[in-house]
Amino acid sequence: MCGIVGYLGKRNATPIVIEGLKRLEYRGYDSAGLAIIDTEGDLKVFREEGKIIDLERIMPAPEKSFGNTGIGHTRWATHGEPTVANAHPHICCRNQIAVVHNGIIENYKLLKKKLISEGHIFVSDTDSEVLAHLIGYFYEAEHDLVTAVKEALKLVEGTYGIAVICSDNPDLIVAARKGSPLILGIGNDEFFITSDVSAIIIHTKKVIYLHDDEVVSVTKENFEITNIDNEVVKAKISEIDWEVSSIEKGDFKHFMLKEIFEQPTSVENAFRGRLDHKLSTVKLGGLNMTPDEFRNIEKIQIIACGTSWHSALIGKYVIESLARISVEVEYASEFRYKNPIIPPGTIVIVVSQSGETADTLAALREARTRGVKVFGITNVIGSSIARETDGGVYIHAGTEIGVASTKAFTSQVTVLTLLGVLLGRMKHLAPTYGKKFLEELKMIPNKISEILENNHYIRNIADTIKSSTNALYLGRGFNYPVALEGALKLKEISYIHAEGYPAAEMKHGPIALIDKNMPVIAIALKDEIYDKIISNLAEVKARNGRIITIATRGDDSVQDFSENVIYIPETIDVLQPLLSVVPLQLLAYHVADLRELNVDQPRNLAKSVTVE
Ligand code: G6P
């Protein structure tokens, strides 16, 4: 979703901001822009629809757009179409102040009306432009940019991460946040502002994560963080602990493929250091809970969106099966508005790769308002969700750039499965089971690698379904959410309509769609409900459906009704999703690639949805 990059230092801001914006392309956007204060002290603004490359086309050569102070933005349209006029930065009437904004100004209509009555002229349909005029309005009175920004923000309702420059103060960037991430990067005699550290990591690993209602003013020499009431804030400098290579594609054609192939390592990172072989259990210290607190959990509500919601659903199956604790899984957007019932003894877990999804964050806050303990399962260290929860577990998947989540999903599932075992062992689960689980889990990374060896075979299958208009994914039990995830992957990046269903439920509707053209992708692994799903597939076959089966290695019987079979290694039931999803990720990837689509940045989607 929208991204912010700002630079202030001795170098030319333009190429640094442009490069930073390119690093944020993965988040999803539909227009981009940049403002600099040039060596003459003039504010220069460039904006374009489409991609950064389109913005570069309309810009003068970097040496002709030289300035030490610059801010840039990638916009994912919310209010107003992705046009040049709606792209950021927005400027005040006097052409002095430029603002980039992430988030939504909820009371913009009211503010806009007032400003228009004061003579301000608006040129866009956005909510964000109101900030440029409002800051301009206070700047005229105060002639102090920091004060003007604070006064303006006091009137604003909604969420924001903003960066502001003013041609009267060429050596100053003012930035602020509320509900939308913003980070100060500290270099050698230079500073960066960004909404996502990926944009600046090639320049510095020293960062300060701003908190809500904080305002930072940055000059070439120094920075100061204050809150909206002018109290000075003592901020903590953090060190980013990942490498630039994690945001490079390397030899892979797409980030998504790279991330699928990283899963043997990312899954291992999710459980490394968390296995207790002595007691045949699991340790999750970040939850900050005592054994008694664990044992007193009567109910769990897991809240998430998108792919994280699917991992949450697997978490439900695992926790209910191993710990016999009832688990409810909610869409964050539904939870936050439905006056949820949270019975005593409940804990809430929010699952979010980015840790910034607006609905999940709002649901977390709603749960905490009701006095419930909320735990987070996130990937991004220092993210809003990580900071606002009572405790949590990082999945350590490394940066995920492809919009379609893959390695974050398997890492989330790993952590939720660990939680299931931990809770189970606190209650009635036998040590022999714990031991078996730990042994099986340790073999998962190698088993994923074995599945990845089928990459070319899966591409050939993808070639046979690439022109389909619909696809049906079927699974049962632990693999029902995997079917949902497989269908989501396909629709997200290939734009083929796909649905996931619990296999038996197919009879109650989707069976009407089955014909020789629609691929049915079925997960039919050797487990307790194997026979049941085989019967469901017989029903598909009887209607001339073409079946692609994910089966347990050595199971020849599925050949009879399958057009193609993708074999995966055997494991215990609760760990099956970590294996069965991998061929589905590859299948979706290859279909999209064979259709020559933009796999890493599918249309209309955003990596991190920071608006409702
Ligand atoms: C967006 C992304 C999905 C992701 C979902 C939830 O829709 O495109 O890949 O699953 O947000 O994101 P989160 O960061 O909260 O897991």
Side-chain angles (χ1 to χ4, degrees), residues 141-306:
E142 309 275 354
H143 289 284
D144 177 82
L145 191 61
V146 181
T147 309
V149 168
K150 287 184 181 173
E151 290 305 313
L153 293 181
K154 282 180 189 163
L155 298 182
V156 160
E157 285 165 22
T159 55
Y160 53 78
I162 57 166
V164 188
I165 56 174
C166 172
S167 55
D168 281 352
N169 306 266
D171 183 23
L172 178 66
I173 298 181
V174 181
R177 80 158 263 175
K178 184 176 194 169
S180 196
L182 209 63
I183 297 143
L184 171 70
I186 303 166
N188 291 329
D189 299 325
E190 58 185 7
F191 294 99
F192 305 84
I193 295 288
T194 186
S195 51
D196 176 338
V197 286
S198 310
I200 61 167
I201 189 171
I202 54 162
H203 304 292
T204 182
K205 287 187 167 185
K206 270 195 207 156
V207 294
I208 291 175
Y209 296 95
L210 295 188
H211 294 89
D212 279 356
D213 294 318
E214 288 179 357
V215 179
V216 60
S217 58
V218 186
T219 64
K220 267 192 197 126
E221 288 77 36
N222 219 334
F223 67 90
E224 185 180 54
I225 302 176
T226 50
N227 63 21
I228 212 107
D229 299 320
N230 282 331
E231 291 154 346
V232 175
V233 174
K234 217 171 160 318
K236 180 173 154 261
I237 299 179
S238 309
E239 192 84 21
I240 300 167
D241 67 351
W242 42 271
E243 299 303 321
V244 179
S245 60
S246 69
I247 52 167
E248 308 278 356
K249 274 202 289 256
D251 292 336
F252 288 93
K253 186 171 176 190
H254 294 102
F255 279 107
M256 182 180 175
L257 189 61
K258 177 184 178 229
E259 287 156 6
I260 292 172
F261 271 80
E262 280 171 353
Q263 289 177 113
T265 310
S266 55
V267 165
E268 188 158 4
N269 287 342
F271 68 72
R272 175 175 299 129
R274 292 172 169 161
L275 311 187
D276 182 342
H277 291 282
K278 212 164 136 214
L279 297 176
S280 301
T281 186
V282 161
K283 303 172 279 192
L284 295 174
L287 294 175
N288 304 324
M289 284 175 92
T290 63
D292 274 347
E293 284 173 322
F294 278 121
R295 283 187 197 103
N296 289 337
I297 298 171
E298 285 174 27
K299 184 176 175 175
I300 299 177
Q301 291 186 343
I302 315 184
I303 302 168
C305 305

Side-chain angles (χ1 to χ4, degrees), residues 27 303-311 351-358 360-361 377-380 385 400 402-406 408 412 485 488-489 492 602 605-610:
R27 302 178 67 89
I303 302 168
C305 305
T307 286
S308 299
W309 191 88
H310 292 156
S311 66
V351 183
S352 171
Q353 185 282 129
S354 63
E356 300 293 349
T357 302
T360 313
L361 192 54
I377 295 180
T378 56
N379 193 27
V380 180
I385 288 177
E400 190 177 67
V403 164
S405 183
T406 52
Q412 289 167 345
E485 175 60 9
L488 178 66
K489 287 288 86 80
E492 277 180 313
L605 294 181
K607 182 73 187 154
S608 168
V609 180
T610 49

Side-chain angles (χ1 to χ4, degrees), residues 433-448:
Y433 183 91
K435 190 164 176 283
K436 170 88 178 145
F437 172 82
L438 297 184
E439 280 162 9
E440 289 287 338
L441 179 64
K442 281 172 76 181
M443 288 192 278
I444 290 291
N446 278 341
K447 290 182 178 177
I448 295 177

Side-chain angles (χ1 to χ4, degrees), residues 31-45:
S31 59
L34 170 150
I36 54 150
I37 301 171
D38 70 11
T39 40
E40 310 288 311
D42 292 329
L43 182 69
K44 293 274 161 60
V45 180

